[in-house]
Amino acid sequence: QVQLVESGGGLVEAGGSLRLSCAASGRTFSRYVMGWFRQAPGKEREFVARIGKTGDITSYVDSVKGRFTISRDNAKNTVYLQMSSLKPEDTAVYYCAAKTGWATSTDYWGQGTQVTVSS
């Protein structure tokens, strides 16, 4: 079992920045591909970014490329999402996710953290 706890969400003005963190329990953090998803009101959950087990590979949804950066610290069992140039359309609940393979389905989810971007 892996437990994921997100933090760092909040209210920010458009153009601002936030850094989300996701702390994972257990000693097997480095065995998982980590990702971030988000769900806006009335919309389906969507992929935002993911990072390989050693941090050497990343991918992003087109809408956040150049603005968001995913990173991880395996010594701290933590994955981060640095968000810059935030837009009102980035408003959503952001979820941390862990999975065993790059293209596999998610095995574990966090509880989510709210990000609200005001215009």
Side-chain angles (χ1 to χ4, degrees), residues 64-118:
V64 308
K65 286 181 179 177
R67 300 189 299 120
F68 290 12
T69 302
I70 188 171
S71 61
R72 66 188 296 164
D73 185 337
N74 286 349
K76 295 183 178 180
N77 284 9
T78 302
V79 62
Y80 305 96
L81 186 68
Q82 178 67 49
M83 306 184 294
S84 302
S85 302
L86 283 161
K87 304 176 181 180
E89 51 263 43
D90 294 318
T91 295
V93 177
Y94 283 70
Y95 297 91
C96 179
K99 55 183 184 173
T100 56
W102 187 251
T104 60
S105 59
T106 296
D107 296 289
Y108 301 102
W109 293 97
Q111 83 289 350
T113 185
Q114 176 71 46
V115 171
T116 303
V117 184
S118 63

Side-chain angles (χ1 to χ4, degrees), residues 1-2 24-32 74 77:
Q1 274 289 31
V2 175
S25 65
R27 302 179 181 179
T28 59
F29 180 73
S30 62
R31 297 181 185 178
Y32 292 92
N74 286 349
N77 284 9

Side-chain angles (χ1 to χ4, degrees), residues 34-50:
M34 299 300 298
W36 289 94
F37 289 72
R38 66 186 179 186
Q39 187 167 19
K43 295 186 177 181
E44 294 187 352
R45 190 173 299 188
E46 68 166 349
F47 163 77
V48 175
R50 58 181 168 175

